[in-house]
Amino acid sequence: MPMLAELVDHVIGVDTHKHTNTAAIVSAATAAVIETTTAGTDPDGYQHLLSLAERSGGLRAWAIEGANGYGAGLTRFLVERGELVIELDRPQRAKRRHGAKSDPIDAVRAAREALSREHLSEPRAEGERAALSVRLAARRLAVDSGTDAQRQIHGLVVAAPERLREKLRNKTTSEMLQICARLRVDPRWDITTRETAQVLRCLARRAANLATEAREHERAIVEIIRSWRPDILTNCGVGPIVAATVLCAWSHPGRVRSDAAFAMIAGTAPIPASSGMTVRHRLNRSGDRRLNQAIHTVVVTRMRVDPETKIYVERRRAEGKTDREIKRCLKRYVTRQLFRQLESFTT
């Protein structure tokens, strides 16, 4: 893959924030700073940055930090106009010279970092991927909030007056939620019992509403996947949430250069940690942890229900491998399988 300096004349590094974007135009040949400017995060501000880049002439590329966060609006604006956009991840603080930091410095650093990279990353796609991402985030919040409400109910019941505790003693969480949601407050009760009962009822109904909301998001996720990439759901252990997580990380064909790169994104690529005569690998704790969790779910499910996976597990155990080592091998295999399926799909 050619270096970016061989493809363009200028690189515009952009340091993105909630209300402003700071851009620095850097010469691809010398890495010298030509001009810097700051503009707002609205169409007028985006046009100002583009007009500044056009005045520099020649071929150009944009290196944007947070292309799917604070820089999402600018990235969308540029891609729609045919601009070459490169996504940069969050900078490592230790690499900053003497700890120096300002928006123009960060913008210049973004441009120079893009020039030094051997492999460049495209921003994730809009359309179905973005829709899945929004639905996943909303469902995750609903599930987490519902779990918090359930924990609060359990905590309140521990110290609740006996009148309430006797109704909820030895009940499962589901039964406890149903009972709490139907609690009626007797005005003759003491104030502690009345207030505790009202809070328990409020929390139980909140948990029920959040569970309903989470199911609605999941139904929408299933519809998007079935209209976009229904083939991913045919894999053993891949449900709608796992499929959506994988699709959001992958985004579109060609964005990830190989299954090895996708494994690094997922944190399923073993990291060499050999020395001398010792050959070993270390657990990879980097990458997208939600994607890693999704692939872990696939592996655990296959180990439980898939006959071929069970045979593989028994064979590797006979070779002296531990269950943890076997899971690492399976996670790498599943990552490769999913990536190749995603890349080879044709409508």
Side-chain angles (χ1 to χ4, degrees):
M1 179 181 294
M3 300 293 288
L4 186 60
E6 302 173 23
L7 303 176
V8 298
D9 300 305
H10 303 98
V11 178
I12 303 96
V14 184
D15 182 39
T16 61
H17 294 277
K18 184 175 182 179
H19 300 296
T20 62
N21 291 323
T22 299
I25 303 177
V26 173
S27 169
T30 64
V33 180
I34 298 174
E35 189 172 357
T36 62
T37 188
T38 298
T41 54
D42 53 34
D44 290 339
Y46 303 154
Q47 185 59 53
H48 171 73
L49 296 182
L50 180 58
S51 299
L52 181 69
E54 288 174 340
R55 287 201 298 271
S56 300
L59 299 176
R60 59 183 174 269
W62 299 76
I64 300 179
E65 292 181 358
N68 287 283
Y70 285 144
L74 176 61
T75 300
R76 191 179 302 114
F77 179 89
L78 295 173
V79 170
E80 289 174 353
R81 286 154 181 78
E83 296 289 314
L84 173 59
V85 179
I86 298 162
E87 180 182 16
L88 296 179
D89 43 10
R90 185 177 176 82
Q92 296 183 17
R93 305 301 186 193
K95 291 185 178 180
R96 288 177 171 152
R97 183 180 177 88
H98 305 305
K101 184 193 183 319
S102 70
D103 291 349
I105 290 174
D106 285 347
V108 172
R109 185 208 56 77
R112 289 173 176 168
E113 183 174 333
L115 285 169
S116 66
R117 285 192 175 184
E118 182 179 355
H119 301 291
L120 303 175
S121 177
E122 299 178 18
R124 297 180 185 181
E126 293 291 320
E128 291 88 351
R129 189 218 63 85
L132 280 178
S133 179
V134 170
R135 284 289 185 176
L136 274 178
R139 179 191 174 276
R140 189 181 307 117
L141 179 60
V143 170
D144 291 345
S145 299
T147 302
D148 288 341
Q150 293 178 22
R151 291 196 188 103
Q152 290 176 328
I153 289 173
H154 280 283
L156 287 173
V157 169
V158 170
E162 187 59 32
R163 187 187 298 275
L164 297 174
R165 290 189 66 190
E166 66 180 359
K167 295 176 180 291
L168 302 170
R169 187 175 285 113
N170 299 325
K171 302 295 184 182
T172 64
T173 300
S174 178
E175 293 171 339
M176 193 179 295
L177 290 173
Q178 293 177 9
I179 294 171
C180 289
R182 296 195 301 266
L183 278 176
R184 294 185 178 182
V185 180
D186 191 331
R188 293 171 296 179
W189 291 348
D190 63 272
I191 185 170
T192 302
T193 306
R194 292 199 310 270
E195 295 302 318
T196 303
Q198 289 178 351
V199 171
L200 287 172
R201 184 176 61 192
C202 177
L203 289 171
R205 292 178 178 178
R206 180 189 304 171
N209 291 335
L210 288 167
T212 300
E213 180 185 335
R215 288 193 295 270
E216 291 175 353
H217 289 309
E218 187 165 346
R219 282 195 291 269
I221 287 170
V222 172
E223 291 179 3
I224 295 171
I225 294 173
R226 286 178 176 170
S227 65
W228 180 27
R229 292 301 302 264
D231 60 303
I232 201 71
L233 294 173
T234 62
N235 291 283
C236 178
V238 177
I241 304 306
V242 168
T245 304
V246 172
L247 286 167
C248 284
W250 169 75
S251 181
H252 59 275
R255 177 177 180 270
V256 184
R257 64 184 181 276
S258 66
D259 64 87
F262 192 59
M264 287 300 295
I265 292 174
T268 59
I271 300 175
S274 304
S275 179
M277 300 297 292
T278 303
V279 179
R280 67 186 183 91
H281 291 81
R282 187 172 64 245
L283 178 65
N284 189 341
R285 298 187 182 278
S286 62
D288 185 335
R289 303 317 296 173
R290 291 196 178 100
L291 177 58
N292 186 280
Q293 182 182 23
I295 293 174
H296 178 80
T297 300
V298 176
V299 168
V300 171
T301 302
R302 292 187 181 183
M303 291 176 68
R304 189 175 66 251
V305 303
D306 182 49
E308 292 185 3
T309 304
K310 289 181 179 180
I311 294 172
Y312 173 84
V313 170
E314 292 303 320
R315 178 168 60 82
R316 296 310 295 267
R317 281 176 181 163
E319 295 172 357
K321 297 292 186 181
T322 65
D323 283 357
R324 178 174 291 185
E325 291 171 330
I326 294 170
K327 286 179 181 177
R328 290 180 191 173
C329 294
L330 286 170
K331 288 170 76 171
R332 182 64 180 89
Y333 168 79
V334 169
T335 305
R336 182 187 302 113
Q337 180 191 45
L338 291 174
F339 176 79
R340 291 179 178 177
Q341 180 178 358
L342 289 166
E343 289 289 312
S344 63
F345 178 79
T346 56
T347 57

